[in-house]
Amino acid sequence: MTAGLSAVVAAEVGELRLDVALDALPGEVVAVVGPNGAGKSTLLRALAGLIPLTAGRVVMGGTVLEDAATGHRLPPEQRPVALVFQDRLLFPHLSALDNVAFGLRCQGVRRAEAGRRAQAWLDRLGVGHRAASRPATLSGGEAQRVALARALAVEPALLLLDEPLAALDVEARAALRRELRPLMAGAGVRVLVTHDPLQAMILADRLVVLEHGRVVQHGKPREVAERPRSPWVAELVGVNLLRGHGRDDGVELADGGWLAAPGAGRGPVLAVVHPRAVAVHRRPPEGSPRNVWLGRSEAVELLGDRARVRVALDGRPPLVAEVTPAAVADLALHEGGQVWVTVKATEVRVFPA
Amino acid sequence: MTPRRGALALALALPGAALVGLPLVALVWKAPWSRAIELLAAPGALAALRLSLVSSMVAAALTVVLGLPLAWVQARVAYRGRGLVRALITLPVVLPPVSGGVALLVAFGRRGLVGQWLDRGLGLGLPFTPAGVVLAQTFVALPFLVLTTEAGLRALDTRLEDAARTLGASRAEVFRRVTLPLLAPSLAAGAALSWARALGEFGATITFAGNVAGRTQTLPLAVFLALQGDPESAVVLSLVLVGVSVAVLVGLRRHWVLGLVR
């Protein structure tokens, strides 16, 4: 690969040992997701050159940015990289305009020209009227837009975004999320760190899931959503994930028990059960559904016109069921207590682990 | 707090306030206002005032030039013996200034450790010269600049410097365009404090630079000398020093306290 990003990053920061391979084509948006402490921000800092690699190699657009084997290492200011920091880190002593013009000035662009281009970026992000304001007087949403403009203004080949929407309130987040997609278009590579699944699904061409400093899964957002390979990803995309051993017509679950699922295959498997395929009953269900368990209703969460109920099972990870709000009321699920859950065997998706 | 406890606290705090306030009130009260202009205009007084202002400003500028790199190393470089160096830097604050003057003499005097080389090699005699005055003042004032600036550097969010570098700023550019502007308030506070300290310097100056009227006699030295001949003149000159000090305090307001405590 010559035009895009090709990175193998090994780095150590405190307890964390990061060991990640990351490739991206020109124009591609890669979302890096994972739980807190997985090493997402560390990965971005390493790519930006703010922390040294202990091993590995970073190549961007045919240029070797860093190679631990040879000791070659471009300092951050010489990399075609811009980083949007999680807490923005706008320069407090500069106006919004001068913040955005900062990178251009460092590139040797004349003051007037840099100011003109900075103003254009501020306008494009809808904060042109705040050009003269100091960061301390900006709202969270405005500051985030200025921070984005500051990084975009240097037109980096590799744009790194660390939780660009995390610090915003719900409204500002929704507004900026809509605008982010066109801003991310372009010939460069964009790497987006987020813990917001919606943002990842909307913005990313590809998803990389990081846990404990390692990639546990990567692929197109759809693929990852359909075939989660870790409980964290399953929760991220809102499905139940069960691990076990395939026995043709069902799965022998790792935590004990049997999950009927035709065509389960053989060998280690993962089974995905969508919450919609899980039904909840107050009485033992009639008929003969093949997957029936007894559990306790633990928590109810309303999602628009649906409700999600978490049912604790003895000695097994809980199952999440999706029901109507009316069912929550009818079955008094919010009060807890014993319930039976059933899973239709035909709605279990099984794939090799 | 109940009114009674408030009154008690007030009563206990009063002696302290009085101890500081009364002498200043007395200074103003006893000042020979009718002769003030005449006493200030006396040739010796004017020369001392001029020397004090010029030497203290040069000393303050020197503390910035010498102190900023020192503060930088103390705040940013982790090395063995950093605590020891900090103790050494702080020493002039607590050292009796006379001892400081003696130390300067044995280091930079004509037969001093370094002074003999300066004297013979470069023909540069420091003791009993205006340059000696500046050296003595810089010696006692440097800690204020270093400690204030170091505190400012430690409080500075270094991630802002990271951000600047990812935007293409070299280390030098980061320092000039991010670090220095953010550090400016601490640096200004430190410089003002060290200037005030240099202005009031007495012990080290008289020991190292002597008390030569028109040459090394600063305002504090002139006050001391006047006290033996014309006490009224001493009062007026003291008031000038008080006025300058108050002006510095007002200029700094709260910042110097924050800078030192942080």
Side-chain angles (χ1 to χ4, degrees):
Chain A
M1 182 176 306
T2 53
L5 170 72
S6 168
V8 177
V9 174
E12 280 177 41
V13 177
E15 298 273 289
L16 177 77
R17 293 168 68 95
L18 188 70
D19 193 355
V20 171
L22 186 70
D23 294 300
L25 298 168
E28 209 171 24
V29 178
V30 179
V32 178
V33 297
N36 284 335
K40 308 187 293 286
S41 297
T42 305
L43 172 63
L44 293 195
R45 290 176 65 82
L47 290 173
L50 293 172
I51 50 174
L53 302 187
T54 51
R57 186 176 144 92
V58 179
V59 184
M60 179 67 216
T63 309
V64 179
L65 304 186
E66 186 162 357
D67 190 342
T70 63
H72 169 76
R73 179 170 151 73
L74 283 184
E77 64 268 23
Q78 287 174 28
R79 300 186 180 208
V81 177
L83 172 54
V84 179
F85 292 82
Q86 187 170 359
D87 18 12
R88 308 185 271 260
L89 297 178
L90 294 174
F91 304 124
H93 61 296
L94 298 179
S95 68
L97 186 80
D98 287 337
N99 262 283
V100 179
F102 186 94
L104 296 169
R105 298 282 292 141
C106 289
Q107 289 176 353
V109 179
R110 287 177 174 281
R111 179 181 294 277
E113 170 68 7
R116 201 184 55 72
R117 273 152 72 175
Q119 183 66 50
W121 277 108
L122 286 174
D123 289 340
R124 202 172 151 193
L125 279 135
V127 281
H129 60 293
R130 300 308 306 267
S133 309
R134 289 288 170 93
T137 65
L138 300 174
S139 72
E142 287 170 340
Q144 192 62 61
R145 286 161 188 269
V146 174
L148 275 167
R150 183 174 73 170
L152 288 163
V154 298
E155 294 174 22
L158 176 57
L159 177 66
L160 309 170
L161 303 111
D162 195 352
E163 302 272 12
L165 306 180
L168 304 181
D169 58 53
V170 177
E171 231 169 279
R173 184 181 307 182
L176 192 51
R177 190 193 283 134
R178 274 195 301 277
E179 292 171 50
L180 217 45
R181 179 83 231 193
L183 288 169
M184 305 257 276
V189 170
R190 279 84 176 94
V191 179
L192 166 77
V193 158
T194 180
H195 66 247
D196 174 359
L198 188 56
Q199 191 184 333
M201 297 292 169
I202 291 175
L203 294 173
D205 301 311
R206 225 144 43 77
L207 225 55
V208 172
V209 184
L210 220 58
E211 283 180 38
H212 306 297
R214 279 159 204 281
V215 176
V216 293
Q217 189 169 8
H218 62 92
K220 290 194 161 55
R222 243 190 92 98
E223 295 167 6
V224 174
E226 281 172 4
R227 303 190 150 201
R229 305 200 78 89
S230 84
W232 189 86
V233 181
E235 202 181 321
L236 176 84
V237 298
V239 298
N240 298 295
L241 183 71
L242 303 165
R243 195 177 286 276
H245 215 82
R247 293 275 184 263
D248 290 327
D249 57 347
V251 179
E252 206 175 289
L253 296 173
D255 307 298
W258 174 260
L259 177 71
R266 289 198 155 262
V269 292
L270 291 167
V272 170
V273 180
H274 195 278
R276 272 194 306 271
V278 182
V280 183
H281 317 264
R282 270 296 181 193
R283 298 164 188 284
E286 290 163 13
S288 57
R290 282 186 291 163
N291 296 312
V292 183
W293 296 290
L294 187 60
R296 302 185 70 81
S297 160
E298 261 194 348
V300 180
E301 186 191 358
L302 273 177
L303 301 162
D305 62 342
R306 313 291 296 167
R308 288 202 161 183
V309 185
R310 200 169 69 198
V311 179
L313 303 172
D314 270 350
R316 294 244 318 272
L319 268 185
V320 175
E322 194 172 291
V323 296
T324 61
V328 173
D330 286 349
L331 300 173
L333 292 175
H334 52 280
E335 287 170 12
Q338 226 175 46
V339 290
W340 279 264
V341 289
T342 60
V343 173
K344 284 184 203 137
T346 50
E347 292 192 31
V348 178
R349 275 187 298 115
V350 181
F351 53 91
Chain B
M1 191 180 286
T2 65
R4 270 191 64 180
R5 282 180 63 193
L8 179 64
L10 213 61
L12 287 173
L14 213 55
L19 183 65
V20 178
L22 272 181
L24 291 175
V25 170
L27 212 53
V28 176
W29 191 268
K30 284 287 200 176
W33 293 106
S34 53
R35 287 182 64 209
I37 305 287
E38 172 205 337
L39 288 170
L40 276 178
L46 265 187
L49 180 60
R50 192 182 309 120
L51 177 64
S52 262
L53 287 179
V54 172
S55 64
S56 60
M57 282 190 209
V58 173
L62 269 176
T63 61
V64 173
V65 173
L66 300 173
L68 182 55
L70 195 49
W72 180 279
V73 169
Q74 286 298 101
R76 293 284 172 88
V77 185
Y79 64 94
R80 276 174 64 114
R82 181 157 65 167
L84 192 70
V85 171
R86 175 165 308 130
L88 268 175
I89 293 169
T90 319
L91 199 58
V93 177
V94 291
L95 196 70
V98 177
S99 314
V102 172
L104 284 172
L105 262 182
V106 295
F108 297 109
R110 290 224 151 75
R111 301 211 184 118
L113 212 55
V114 185
Q116 54 180 322
W117 303 109
L118 292 176
D119 199 40
R120 257 186 282 158
L122 303 167
L124 203 68
L126 286 173
F128 309 107
T129 64
V133 173
V134 171
L135 182 66
Q137 291 177 339
T138 309
F139 176 78
V140 296
L142 192 60
F144 293 91
L145 188 287
V146 175
L147 296 180
T148 311
T149 308
E150 190 191 333
L153 273 169
R154 286 183 188 280
L156 197 146
D157 189 347
T158 55
R159 295 176 311 155
L160 286 168
E161 298 170 328
D162 287 348
R165 292 198 75 193
T166 62
L167 290 166
S170 65
R171 282 180 190 278
E173 273 176 311
V174 170
F175 181 76
R176 187 170 61 80
R177 303 175 62 152
V178 177
T179 315
L180 207 50
L182 292 176
L183 196 59
S186 303
L187 206 54
L193 275 178
S194 67
W195 177 62
R197 178 66 187 89
L199 188 70
E201 219 306 298
F202 182 91
T205 314
I206 200 166
T207 313
F208 183 64
N211 190 4
V212 186
R215 188 164 158 79
T216 65
Q217 189 181 74
T218 58
L219 203 50
L221 299 184
V223 170
F224 184 71
L225 206 69
L227 206 51
Q228 342 226 309
D230 183 359
E232 288 198 329
S233 172
V235 172
V236 170
L237 295 180
S238 294
L239 269 176
V240 171
L241 281 171
V242 170
V244 171
S245 313
V246 169
V248 171
L249 260 190
V250 171
L252 288 175
R253 270 184 284 256
R254 285 165 45 244
H255 189 96
W256 73 281
V257 185
L258 292 175
L260 280 186
V261 170
R262 205 158 41 198

